[in-house]
mmCIF file of all heavy atoms in Angstrom:
data_model
loop_
_atom_site.group_PDB
_atom_site.id
_atom_site.type_symbol
_atom_site.label_atom_id
_atom_site.label_comp_id
_atom_site.label_asym_id
_atom_site.label_seq_id
_atom_site.Cartn_x
_atom_site.Cartn_y
_atom_site.Cartn_z
ATOM 1 N N LEU G 355 -23.228 -28.090 -37.958
ATOM 2 C CA LEU G 355 -24.129 -27.042 -37.480
ATOM 3 C C LEU G 355 -23.441 -25.675 -37.503
ATOM 4 O O LEU G 355 -24.023 -24.678 -37.953
ATOM 5 C CB LEU G 355 -24.620 -27.363 -36.070
ATOM 6 C CG LEU G 355 -25.651 -28.488 -35.939
ATOM 7 C CD1 LEU G 355 -25.879 -28.831 -34.475
ATOM 8 C CD2 LEU G 355 -26.972 -28.089 -36.607
ATOM 9 N N ARG G 356 -22.215 -25.621 -37.024
ATOM 10 C CA ARG G 356 -21.492 -24.342 -36.967
ATOM 11 C C ARG G 356 -21.192 -23.812 -38.377
ATOM 12 O O ARG G 356 -21.312 -22.617 -38.642
ATOM 13 C CB ARG G 356 -20.205 -24.501 -36.165
ATOM 14 C CG ARG G 356 -20.442 -24.809 -34.684
ATOM 15 C CD ARG G 356 -19.138 -24.902 -33.898
ATOM 16 N NE ARG G 356 -19.357 -25.383 -32.547
ATOM 17 C CZ ARG G 356 -19.792 -24.645 -31.538
ATOM 18 N NH1 ARG G 356 -20.051 -23.362 -31.749
ATOM 19 N NH2 ARG G 356 -19.970 -25.170 -30.345
ATOM 20 N N SER G 357 -20.787 -24.719 -39.263
ATOM 21 C CA SER G 357 -20.495 -24.274 -40.633
ATOM 22 C C SER G 357 -21.770 -23.825 -41.343
ATOM 23 O O SER G 357 -21.761 -22.863 -42.123
ATOM 24 C CB SER G 357 -19.806 -25.396 -41.417
ATOM 25 O OG SER G 357 -20.647 -26.524 -41.554
ATOM 26 N N PHE G 358 -22.884 -24.507 -41.063
ATOM 27 C CA PHE G 358 -24.155 -24.101 -41.666
ATOM 28 C C PHE G 358 -24.579 -22.731 -41.146
ATOM 29 O O PHE G 358 -25.068 -21.883 -41.910
ATOM 30 C CB PHE G 358 -25.230 -25.146 -41.349
ATOM 31 C CG PHE G 358 -26.595 -24.799 -41.882
ATOM 32 C CD1 PHE G 358 -26.857 -24.819 -43.239
ATOM 33 C CD2 PHE G 358 -27.618 -24.442 -41.015
ATOM 34 C CE1 PHE G 358 -28.114 -24.491 -43.733
ATOM 35 C CE2 PHE G 358 -28.882 -24.117 -41.496
ATOM 36 C CZ PHE G 358 -29.122 -24.139 -42.856
ATOM 37 N N ALA G 359 -24.357 -22.492 -39.842
ATOM 38 C CA ALA G 359 -24.695 -21.197 -39.259
ATOM 39 C C ALA G 359 -23.868 -20.086 -39.905
ATOM 40 O O ALA G 359 -24.391 -18.995 -40.210
ATOM 41 C CB ALA G 359 -24.474 -21.224 -37.750
ATOM 42 N N GLU G 360 -22.587 -20.345 -40.127
ATOM 43 C CA GLU G 360 -21.740 -19.343 -40.779
ATOM 44 C C GLU G 360 -22.196 -19.109 -42.218
ATOM 45 O O GLU G 360 -22.213 -17.970 -42.699
ATOM 46 C CB GLU G 360 -20.278 -19.793 -40.747
ATOM 47 C CG GLU G 360 -19.328 -18.794 -41.392
ATOM 48 C CD GLU G 360 -17.871 -19.096 -41.137
ATOM 49 O OE1 GLU G 360 -17.521 -19.434 -39.981
ATOM 50 O OE2 GLU G 360 -17.063 -18.991 -42.097
ATOM 51 N N PHE G 361 -22.557 -20.177 -42.895
ATOM 52 C CA PHE G 361 -23.041 -20.050 -44.276
ATOM 53 C C PHE G 361 -24.323 -19.221 -44.324
ATOM 54 O O PHE G 361 -24.485 -18.342 -45.190
ATOM 55 C CB PHE G 361 -23.270 -21.438 -44.861
ATOM 56 C CG PHE G 361 -24.041 -21.452 -46.143
ATOM 57 C CD1 PHE G 361 -23.540 -20.850 -47.287
ATOM 58 C CD2 PHE G 361 -25.293 -22.053 -46.203
ATOM 59 C CE1 PHE G 361 -24.260 -20.851 -48.471
ATOM 60 C CE2 PHE G 361 -26.018 -22.071 -47.381
ATOM 61 C CZ PHE G 361 -25.501 -21.455 -48.518
ATOM 62 N N ILE G 362 -25.242 -19.470 -43.402
ATOM 63 C CA ILE G 362 -26.491 -18.705 -43.347
ATOM 64 C C ILE G 362 -26.196 -17.225 -43.105
ATOM 65 O O ILE G 362 -26.794 -16.330 -43.731
ATOM 66 C CB ILE G 362 -27.408 -19.255 -42.228
ATOM 67 C CG1 ILE G 362 -27.960 -20.634 -42.617
ATOM 68 C CG2 ILE G 362 -28.545 -18.289 -41.934
ATOM 69 C CD1 ILE G 362 -28.953 -20.615 -43.740
ATOM 70 N N HIS G 363 -25.244 -16.983 -42.195
ATOM 71 C CA HIS G 363 -24.878 -15.599 -41.881
ATOM 72 C C HIS G 363 -24.309 -14.908 -43.105
ATOM 73 O O HIS G 363 -24.671 -13.765 -43.428
ATOM 74 C CB HIS G 363 -23.866 -15.584 -40.734
ATOM 75 C CG HIS G 363 -23.360 -14.227 -40.377
ATOM 76 N ND1 HIS G 363 -24.170 -13.244 -39.836
ATOM 77 C CD2 HIS G 363 -22.117 -13.681 -40.500
ATOM 78 C CE1 HIS G 363 -23.455 -12.147 -39.641
ATOM 79 N NE2 HIS G 363 -22.205 -12.376 -40.029
ATOM 80 N N LEU G 364 -23.400 -15.585 -43.816
ATOM 81 C CA LEU G 364 -22.789 -15.001 -45.021
ATOM 82 C C LEU G 364 -23.841 -14.796 -46.111
ATOM 83 O O LEU G 364 -23.809 -13.786 -46.837
ATOM 84 C CB LEU G 364 -21.673 -15.917 -45.531
ATOM 85 C CG LEU G 364 -20.415 -15.997 -44.659
ATOM 86 C CD1 LEU G 364 -19.461 -17.055 -45.206
ATOM 87 C CD2 LEU G 364 -19.723 -14.642 -44.584
#
Side-chain angles (χ1 to χ4, degrees):
L355 287 171
R356 294 182 188 280
S357 63
F358 178 70
E360 181 169 317
F361 167 63
I362 289 291
H363 177 66
L364 290 174

